[in-house]
Every structure is written in structure tokens, then in C-alpha cells.
Amino acid sequence: MHFSRFGQKLCSDAGIVTLMDDLGEALRVNPHMIFMGGGNPAAIPEMEQAFEDALQATLDDPRQAQQLFGVYQPPQGDAEVLDAIATLLQREYQWPITRANIALSNGSQSAFFVLFNLLAGDYADGTKKRIQFPLAPEYLGYSDLGIHADFFTATRPAIEILPNGFFKYHVDFSQLKITAETGALCVSRPTNPTGNVISNEELAKLDALARAHQIPFIVDGAYGTPFPNILFADAQPHWNENTILVLSLSKLGLPGARTGIVIANPPIIDAFAKANTILSLACGNFGPALVRHLLADGKILALSREVVAPFYRARMEQAVASFQKHMTGLPCYIHKPEGAIFLWLWFKDLPITSEELYQRLKARGVLVVSGHHFFPGLDGEWQHAHECIRVTYCQSPEIVERGAAIIADEVRKLFTGDIAINHSVIVTE
Ligand SMILES: Cc1ncc(COP(=O)(O)O)c(C=O)c1O
């Protein structure tokens, strides 16, 4: 079967496809695997109860129930839900937004497809623009979203080694290049895969650079402020007319609802809603129906701060303790976990690639994600990109502990030379 160039790009073996295949196999087909791979959020009983209550309240109201099943959403999304989001954000953060600043999408992943292709690619004047990631590693789900090839650029981070086996990435402003060919800047905050949180100062600097170059600044808040607020570091919520803030209900515990929220200036929202209608006709009703009840009295913020964030903080601390225990004596650095649901482990001078380590761990029943997927847009080879893996700590602490033991055992064998290594796979700087 021959597909178009775009078709071939879409059905390639993208990192995100492998990751979701692994996720589906581990969580639905083969549950004995130790799943430390994809970004499925944890099941938090209090959140599940809140979702059930919201669904029940929807079903108990004949108008809402009828709309849930039998009525398409308008292009931007349900007006009452948009108003409720605007009111909440005005009240909490004094952001000057109204319904004209907000659109809903079927998950934030599809929102990024629309936004990236609106802001980068071929322009009528013959120029070509790209989306710039100021700090790689970045979310692997961005990698294949451009309709054209060569769609992204990225900047290597500065690496700070911290005490107790931690390290942290910073935006290396001395290397960040914004040119006439940059269509927008984009950061995930907290960052998937690293759990890094771009500091308030870094964010302000990126915002100022984007304005100076008259390009939008996209902030992916899938894990961040204001909800689900999976943050263990200070991160001021940020929005202004030049910012496109993309939120999601997924990491709150509703990945099945497939609901994203885009907050931007009205011309961008207008373009987004039209493009989204062409692609999807309308957004699903389930997420908006539930979130309407969670928005009432700011419940969604209270749940994020009092339930979701403490839950993941405890999981993060347990995961760090497990890895520190098992990795003793190994050249393993953990990225300082400041948010999101992952640990990012760096095995300095790993004798094989992280992809091969992923395969070896999979053969031993542990699913992780190889770090090399998380460098969309980065030019040239970089050894560091093949020395890291991402692990999620959404499973129970016991499972994470078992996973950490197996990962450490496999890595220890590599560093002590106990297993054969195919040196031809090592990538040099
Ligand atoms: C940083 C980031 N952005 C966006 C997404 C997309 O999430 P969804 O489409 O479920 O909203 C994810 C999913 O894992 C993510 O990690």
C-alpha cells in the first residue's frame, strides 16, 4: 500500500506510537509487566469519587444529560464551560480573559497539532517557520506533529550537577537562537520527561524574547498550573496576550475524557476553533460535562492543590528513595523532580544506548521509555541524549521499588562488564 508523504509521516513508527503501544499492552493486555513507561496518571480514589459525583450531577439534570449524549459542542466548546473557566482564572489570577480567549479540544495532543501547524510550516511569502523548544529534552509527543519535515528546532540545556546525585537542566540563553524562521517558542512546564520546572525568571525571559520577536509563546501546562498542579517547586501561573497556555484534564485523572483547553488571544482562538472543527467537527461532551461541576466554587483548584499535588509528591519521594537505594555506587543522576509524574535518570557514560537498555529492561518485564525520543528538533548527535531513561512513579510504591531493583541490576551489570556489550551501538559526541 502506498501512502502520501504526509500519510507515511503519520503512520511512521514514532516514539509516541511505541510508547502508547507499550502502555496499552501493560495496562490492558499484559498487566504483569512492571509499567514505568507512558504517562498514564495514577488512580486517586478521591479524584475518582469527584468524577463520579460530577457525572451523577450531570445525569441528574435532564438538560445536561440530554446535551451529554445528544448534542454537538459548538466550535469553541460549550459556552457555559468557557465562561466558567474564564471566571475562575479572572478571579484567581486576575487574567483579563473572557470566553473569546478559550477553546476546548479533544485532548491537548490534538490541540498541539493544530497550534503547531498554524504557527509553523510554509508561509505565503515563501518563508518557512519552525517551532523552537528552548530547553531540550522536551515532550516526545511533539516530535511528529508537524505536517512538514524539519519542523522543530531545539536548544541544548545547561546542566547543573547538584548534591546527593541530583542534577538540573536550565535554559541556556547563550545558545538559544530565535530567527525570522522561528514561528513560536514552546515549553512544557513542568516538563515531560524530566520533571523540570522552568523557573519564574526563565519563563519571564522567554516571554520577553517571544514578544520582542513578535512570536507566540506556547506553555504546555498538562501537569502544571492552575490544574492539575503537579508541582513540587514554586511556579507562578503565567498568561498574557502573547501566551498560548494549553491545559488538559488528563493528568487530573481523566485521560479517557480527551479534553484539552487552549487559552490565547481571540484571533488565535478563532483560528484554532475553525481548524479544530475541520479536523474533529466538534469536541467530545464528556470532559466538558464533568469539568463544569469541578469548576463550580473553584473545586478543581482545591482538588489539585489538596489531593493531586500531595499524592504525587508522596509518590515522587518514595520513588526517589527506591532509586537512590538501588543505584548506590552507580553513575546514576536523577533530575531534580520539581513536578509532573516522572523521574528522569541519567546514566553517565552508559556503555550501551538508552534504547538498548529499554529493550533489555522490557525483556525483563520492566517498561521504561528511552530518553533519546525526547529531543525533538535537536541538531547533531549528543551522547547525553542516549544516556537517559524516563520512568513514571504512578504505580504503587511496591511496584516502583521492584522496577528500580531490576533497572539497577541491569545497569550494574553493564558498568561492571558482566554482560556482552555491542560497542558499535555507542553514539559518540
Ligand atoms: C507534556 C504533555 N503535553 C501534552 C500531553 C497530551 O495529553 P492529552 O492529549 O491527554 O491532553 C501529554 C501527555 O502525556 C504531555 O505529557
Side-chain angles (χ1 to χ4, degrees):
M1 184 73 204
H2 296 295
F3 293 119
S4 68
R5 191 171 289 170
F6 179 52
Q8 284 176 353
K9 191 169 185 309
L10 274 187
C11 61
S12 66
D13 286 328
I16 191 81
V17 178
T18 315
L19 182 144
M20 291 308 280
D21 268 354
D22 278 358
L23 187 153
E25 178 170 334
L27 297 185
R28 289 179 186 261
V29 184
N30 213 349
H32 64 270
M33 294 290 281
I34 296 181
F35 178 71
M36 302 176 96
N40 210 84
I44 308 178
E46 254 176 291
M47 295 306 292
E48 289 179 328
Q49 188 58 54
F51 303 145
E52 267 180 43
D53 294 347
L55 181 58
Q56 194 58 56
T58 306
L59 296 175
D60 289 346
D61 178 322
R63 186 179 70 96
Q64 288 180 33
Q66 203 263 331
Q67 287 192 354
L68 171 64
F69 298 120
V71 184
Y72 283 124
Q73 300 251 330
Q76 248 178 273
D78 182 294
E80 287 176 25
V81 172
L82 301 181
D83 285 344
I85 297 171
T87 306
L88 181 83
L89 298 176
Q90 280 164 19
R91 195 181 63 219
E92 282 290 312
Y93 308 116
Q94 291 76 53
W95 292 347
I97 62 172
T98 67
R99 142 190 339 176
N101 295 99
I102 309 172
L104 304 183
S105 65
N106 283 319
S108 65
Q109 181 75 18
S110 73
F112 284 105
F113 177 81
V114 172
L115 289 169
F116 286 172
N117 288 293
L118 282 175
L119 299 169
D122 294 336
Y123 277 65
D125 64 1
T127 57
K128 183 176 169 71
K129 294 190 198 256
R130 296 177 183 82
I131 303 291
Q132 156 73 225
F133 303 121
L135 197 165
E138 252 306 353
Y139 173 46
L140 96 169
Y142 299 147
S143 310
D144 298 281
L145 287 180
I147 288 182
H148 300 289
D150 187 20
F151 204 81
F152 300 105
T153 54
T155 309
R156 281 189 201 188
I159 298 180
E160 182 190 8
I161 302 290
L162 299 169
N164 304 320
F166 290 103
F167 75 107
K168 180 171 163 61
Y169 295 127
H170 298 277
V171 179
D172 186 349
F173 284 97
S174 70
Q175 297 300 314
L176 175 59
K177 287 189 190 67
I178 303 176
T179 68
E181 295 192 341
T182 308
L185 301 185
C186 177
V187 295
S188 59
R189 184 180 192 244
T191 307
N192 174 0
T194 55
N196 190 23
V197 172
I198 292 208
S199 70
N200 296 329
E201 294 71 35
E202 285 172 320
L203 200 78
K205 226 166 153 178
L206 291 172
D207 178 46
L209 279 171
R211 285 156 179 268
H213 288 84
Q214 298 182 323
I215 53 171
F217 181 27
I218 305 172
V219 179
D220 179 351
Y223 302 87
T225 58
F227 53 83
N229 194 47
I230 309 176
L231 282 159
F232 324 125
D234 169 48
Q236 295 299 316
H238 164 86
W239 187 82
N240 59 37
E241 281 276 315
N242 195 51
T243 302
I244 304 175
L245 176 61
V246 184
L247 302 175
S248 168
L249 298 187
S250 296
K251 313 302 171 177
L252 209 55
L254 286 171
R258 308 305 308 125
T259 303
I261 301 166
V262 180
I263 305 169
N265 64 43
I268 288 185
I269 292 299
D270 190 46
F272 179 87
K274 286 176 180 149
N276 201 32
T277 304
I278 289 171
L279 284 174
S280 302
L281 192 59
C283 294
N285 289 333
F286 182 64
L290 296 196
V291 83
R292 167 198 298 262
H293 294 280
L294 300 176
L295 287 162
D297 309 322
K299 198 171 167 192
I300 197 166
L301 300 184
L303 285 168
S304 299
R305 288 171 193 154
E306 291 157 24
V307 178
V308 180
F311 174 91
Y312 284 108
R313 180 186 278 274
R315 284 282 163 97
M316 175 275 284
E317 285 168 357
Q318 286 154 343
V320 166
S322 291
F323 277 97
Q324 284 184 329
K325 180 173 106 189
H326 290 288
M327 295 290 175
T328 307
L330 289 172
C332 170
Y333 295 87
I334 302 176
H335 191 284
K336 189 177 176 203
E338 299 178 316
I341 58 179
F342 312 104
L343 292 185
W344 176 252
L345 309 176
W346 172 26
F347 303 108
K348 195 166 180 321
D349 300 325
L350 184 68
I352 57 171
T353 60
S354 53
E355 169 67 14
E356 199 182 338
L357 179 60
Y358 154 79
Q359 295 292 356
R360 290 182 186 212
L361 292 171
K362 190 171 177 182
R364 292 188 63 179
V366 182
L367 284 174
V368 301
V369 186
S370 167
H372 76 282
H373 294 298
F374 294 91
F375 294 82
L378 198 69
D379 265 349
E381 272 300 346
W382 187 25
Q383 173 77 19
H384 180 83
H386 300 270
E387 294 181 342
C388 303
I389 61 169
R390 190 195 76 177
V391 294
T392 164
Y393 45 78
C394 285
Q395 303 292 320
S396 72
E398 298 70 41
I399 293 182
V400 172
E401 169 88 28
R402 271 172 34 220
I406 294 171
I407 297 170
D409 182 61
E410 196 61 32
V411 172
R412 198 174 299 280
K413 282 196 236 165
L414 291 170
F415 279 104
T416 52
D418 275 3
I419 43 179
I421 294 165
N422 174 6
H423 282 281
S424 64
V425 299
I426 298 177
V427 181
T428 49
E429 205 148 356

